[in-house]
Amino acid sequence: HRSTNRPTHSHAHSYGALARSTMAPVWTCCFAVVFLSHSSLLYASLVTINDAVDQAALDVPTVKTAATSSQCRSCPRLSDVVVTSRAEHYVPPRGTNMTTFQAAAAFHATRLDWVYTTNASFVEEAHRRGLRVVTPAMNANLKDPDGQYNIGRMRNVHGQKITAPWMRAWSVLPYYGCVNNPEYRSVAFGWADRLLALGTDAIQHDDPGTNGEAVTWDRGDPTSSGCYCRHCIRGFTSLLLRVLSPTQRTKLNITSSFNYSAYLLSTSKPNPVLRQLFVGFQQNSTRSYIVDLKRHLFNTTQALGKPNTTLSCNNGGRWETPCDLCDYGLGELSKSMATPGLLKALFKDAVPPGKQQVLTMPKEAAVSDADIYLIRWAVAYSYALGANMMVPWDIYLPTPNASRFYGTVAQFGDLFAFVHDHAALLEQTSSAVEPQVTNNYTLAHTGAGAGGDGKRFRIPPNDGATGIIYHNTPLADCEGACNNNAMCRGIFFTPSKECVVLYKLIVTNTELEGLSFLHNASHGPALASCNASNVTLLPRRSELASDTGGHATVTPTVVLHVVDWRYAATTGASQAPLNVTVGLDVLGSPDLCKAVNATLLQPGMASTTVVVDVVSSNSSRPAATAIIPSPRPWAMLLFACHKEQGLR
């Protein structure tokens, strides 16, 4: 969501070249950049420089946080229905006929995440209405006490306040705060204290990248990125004096009076090594800020005699620094990412141990009628994976419209009612039985741009020997091209729909926007399968003896989630019934599983008993087979094994 309207600079033409030049620095040895902030040794990033220096052991400070989801009292549950309300809507906003609390009730919400409020009565009413968790939000551009954006703001190389590219067209510019500026830190920590005083259960941090993100805006153009305030310049000079050897300082002309901002204004060819060092410095600054914020939240709640407050962040489904410090992710999802393989990567494969990921609906600047089918599929798929997707209500849509989307109960209500009705079943079947999947990709690198790691899988030469490039190709088709090519080891996909199928995975720094995915092509035998390749089967094993919620008619051993991608790809066109097969070793011991019962559950429909055929135990793989209607887009099959007499 980049704006092309930005200030000009006499050397602006050089910064694209500067970004490219960092891919091949001219010096050859490595050393670690260490930023010491508030007595906290934080983060190491590698740059290339001529003379080797001694490397001391680097330790990330221990911060009191929830290490696992079981310890995180406010992290999402498998059955949670997450509604967001970016403002307190006591009156229905334009585009909907519901207030915040009416929407929460209509969609059976169990929690209210990511709401900008400092109103204690609003939080109290949310709790009173049964919302278990309420998560007020803070961001990287918090207002001053007088409602302005002046205190401790980020500055460009000319000393002007700056804001994010996608916010530059807003009527009131929300200038970003600099986390190296003690005055802005006071604003931020004071805001956090106000949120704690509301009786909040967690705090959401939007745009948590702060300085580490702002330094990448517009490819590092110092006229529109930052921060170059006096605190950053002084801190960067101090860093250089600490980590560079005398020889290195001489080569770079670094003295105690060095001013990086003045240096950039004085040259048309900035040294790429200094640029790398400055990016590392700002990333460390952000990491220091998040660590210190979490410590502040912990100390404050301890002093108040309250449980520690969970910190979530808008991570876009990515867990690079500093989002790895947050307890769970409340991120925004691009429509281009809504495919079976990539959602599995974002919701499961790429999520660090002990973390959880919640995403918005897949979105772009405008929502079409066809998109409703895709959104419904994505909601269903997220719960089938054991994750959560926010209710599509009060969702920010990207520029140029920057409008909000308010889904209706008619569009999505049956899905969230389904979650509500079978909440106990979703919680009980929390042990995933890893399925055989057609589309299985791991997000490896996120390229340039806000929040990216600046790396990618290298695009091959156009010789067909190391890969193939497809133009104007949707991401789902790009995945399919990789799936159907035995030599494919990964893909690189750009916002302009350039699909690169790669036979060799070579990682390089980049100024290109795009996502790199590793293709996980090795799988064991299929645990569950059906006669349609675009249907995902996700078995989940019950951890309890029965469904105490009373929604199942049999005692489930395994719940098989069936999610039909064709529903999204064909805008809800009717499909033939599915022939579904599940190995008896998934359900239980084949020797003891002489018969199988199955119950079919679907959104908006009554449960039905399904006839199950059990293949003889003399076969190579004993299995149970059932024929079910093609889901629209989600169904759950509850299987239960029988001994010769009675239930197991």
Side-chain angles (χ1 to χ4, degrees):
H1 318 307
R2 295 187 177 275
S3 169
T4 56
N5 298 321
R6 68 185 192 212
T8 57
H9 180 259
S10 59
H11 305 310
H13 66 277
S14 68
Y15 294 103
L18 170 59
R20 286 190 294 274
S21 69
T22 61
M23 292 188 285
V26 293
W27 297 343
T28 55
C29 286
C30 291
F31 77 102
V33 178
V34 181
F35 174 42
L36 195 62
S37 173
H38 302 280
S39 300
S40 298
L41 192 60
L42 294 176
Y43 187 69
S45 59
L46 296 179
V47 299
T48 304
I49 202 163
N50 189 31
D51 301 307
V53 297
D54 294 333
Q55 296 189 41
L58 301 178
D59 297 316
V60 176
T62 300
V63 180
K64 299 288 186 178
T65 62
T68 66
S69 58
S70 62
Q71 296 174 323
C72 179
R73 70 182 183 92
S74 298
C75 283
R77 298 172 179 172
L78 296 174
S79 62
D80 268 332
V81 175
V82 182
V83 70
T84 183
S85 181
R86 298 305 165 82
E88 305 165 6
H89 297 311
Y90 286 109
V91 175
R94 185 172 61 180
T96 181
N97 61 356
M98 294 186 287
T99 67
T100 295
F101 295 126
Q102 287 172 339
F107 288 109
H108 305 282
T110 58
R111 53 189 295 147
L112 175 60
D113 282 273
W114 200 343
V115 54
Y116 286 101
T117 181
T118 55
N119 184 349
S121 64
F122 180 82
V123 174
E124 291 170 3
E125 183 173 359
H127 283 140
R128 182 177 60 80
R129 289 174 176 265
L131 293 164
R132 180 178 65 87
V133 173
V134 181
T135 307
M138 59 190 298
N139 55 33
N141 47 358
L142 296 167
K143 292 181 179 180
D144 304 340
D146 64 359
Q148 302 301 309
Y149 296 96
N150 294 316
I151 296 176
R153 302 296 142 170
M154 289 188 192
R155 305 281 172 168
N156 67 7
V157 75
H158 296 298
Q160 300 164 326
K161 293 182 292 186
I162 57 174
T163 193
W166 59 91
M167 298 179 181
R168 292 172 189 163
W170 293 11
S171 58
V172 176
L173 295 183
Y175 296 111
Y176 269 48
C178 173
V179 298
N180 285 323
N181 191 316
E183 292 181 343
Y184 181 74
R185 277 191 170 227
S186 179
V187 170
F189 288 12
W191 193 280
D193 289 341
R194 293 176 67 187
L195 299 185
L196 290 177
L198 303 178
T200 178
D201 304 288
I203 291 177
Q204 161 76 344
H205 203 307
D206 195 8
D207 298 317
T210 64
N211 290 45
E213 174 188 326
V215 76
T216 68
W217 291 341
D218 301 323
R219 298 180 179 177
D221 183 343
T223 67
S224 52
S225 67
C227 172
Y228 298 92
C229 74
R230 59 188 178 90
H231 298 280
C232 289
I233 296 304
R234 185 168 59 237
F236 183 50
T237 299
S238 177
L239 166 73
L240 296 178
L241 293 174
R242 286 198 308 275
V243 302
L244 297 180
S245 70
T247 302
Q248 293 162 350
R249 291 198 297 270
T250 299
K251 286 186 176 181
L252 294 172
N253 197 26
I254 304 300
T255 67
S256 59
S257 61
F258 177 74
N259 184 306
Y260 186 52
S261 179
Y263 163 77
L264 290 176
L265 290 171
S266 68
T267 180
S268 61
K269 295 182 179 180
N271 191 307
V273 173
L274 287 175
R275 166 66 184 173
Q276 288 179 291
L277 288 165
F278 188 66
V279 170
F281 163 77
Q282 294 291 17
Q283 290 176 341
N284 291 339
S285 300
T286 294
R287 202 164 177 84
S288 169
Y289 161 72
I290 297 295
V291 168
D292 290 346
L293 175 61
K294 295 200 72 172
R295 184 179 294 114
H296 176 81
L297 294 174
F298 176 78
N299 291 337
T300 302
T301 53
Q302 289 292 296
L304 295 173
K306 296 181 178 180
N308 187 31
T309 297
T310 305
L311 182 68
S312 62
C313 62
N314 181 4
N315 67 341
R318 301 185 296 268
W319 291 92
E320 294 93 353
T321 184
C323 294
D324 60 309
L325 296 171
C326 298
D327 297 306
Y328 66 98
L330 285 174
E332 297 176 276
L333 176 66
S334 169
K335 178 182 173 181
S336 66
M337 298 291 289
T339 68
L342 299 189
L343 280 194
K344 183 174 182 291
L346 291 174
F347 276 124
K348 303 302 293 183
D349 299 337
V351 179
K355 308 288 187 180
Q356 289 174 260
Q357 182 68 63
V358 180
L359 291 169
T360 68
M361 68 184 209
K363 58 183 185 173
E364 55 185 3
V367 178
S368 67
D369 291 341
D371 289 336
I372 301 301
Y373 296 94
L374 176 65
I375 296 168
R376 284 178 54 83
W377 170 85
V379 169
Y381 194 49
S382 67
Y383 281 97
L385 286 167
N388 314 81
M389 182 165 283
M390 296 181 207
V391 173
W393 192 87
D394 202 359
I395 301 297
Y396 170 80
L397 300 180
T399 53
N401 297 333
S403 59
R404 307 202 73 81
F405 177 75
Y406 295 94
T408 67
V409 174
Q411 292 168 326
F412 308 108
D414 62 324
L415 297 176
F416 293 104
F418 191 60
V419 173
H420 171 265
D421 291 344
H422 300 292
L425 186 60
L426 290 170
E427 294 295 336
Q428 290 169 21
T429 55
S430 58
S431 296
V433 181
E434 190 63 31
Q436 167 81 7
V437 294
T438 302
N439 298 314
N440 192 358
Y441 294 85
T442 298
L443 181 63
H445 300 290
T446 50
D453 64 359
K455 298 179 181 179
R456 63 168 166 86
F457 291 147
R458 180 180 296 169
I459 296 176
N462 193 21
D463 56 11
T466 55
I468 302 175
I469 301 176
Y470 298 94
H471 303 287
N472 196 27
T473 301
L475 187 52
D477 292 343
C478 188
E479 285 184 339
C482 182
N483 294 333
N484 296 326
N485 191 325
M487 294 186 292
C488 180
R489 296 184 59 198
I491 59 177
F492 176 64
F493 188 80
T494 73
S496 60
K497 296 184 179 181
E498 297 291 306
C499 165
V500 184
V501 173
L502 298 159
Y503 304 157
K504 295 181 179 180
L505 300 181
I506 302 174
V507 178
T508 182
N509 293 334
T510 187
E511 65 169 13
L512 295 177
E513 294 189 33
L515 300 169
S516 300
F517 295 94
L518 178 67
H519 183 215
N520 304 321
S522 60
H523 305 285
L527 303 178
S529 62
C530 72
N531 59 338
S533 62
N534 289 320
V535 176
T536 305
L537 305 178
L538 295 157
R540 303 185 73 82
R541 182 172 286 117
S542 174
E543 293 184 340
L544 300 179
S546 63
D547 179 12
T548 57
H551 303 295
T553 59
V554 297
T555 302
T557 299
V558 162
V559 173
L560 182 66
H561 292 264
V562 185
V563 188
D564 196 340
W565 166 246
R566 297 172 300 175
Y567 176 85
T570 64
T571 61
S574 297
Q575 305 292 338
L578 296 176
N579 190 322
V580 177
T581 300
V582 180
L584 295 190
D585 53 335
V586 177
L587 303 181
S589 170
D591 294 335
L592 298 177
C593 197
K594 303 302 182 182
V596 177
N597 275 4
T599 300
L600 179 66
L601 305 175
Q602 298 183 84
M605 301 179 68
S607 63
T608 58
T609 300
V610 177
V611 176
V612 179
D613 293 327
V614 178
V615 178
S616 169
S617 58
N618 296 325
S619 64
S620 60
R621 183 166 196 179
T625 299
I627 297 176
I628 65 171
S630 180
R632 300 179 58 79
W634 182 19
M636 290 193 290
L637 264 175
L638 280 61
F639 288 100
C641 257
H642 292 247
K643 296 180 181 180
E644 289 181 322
Q645 290 90 23
L647 291 174
R648 287 187 61 202

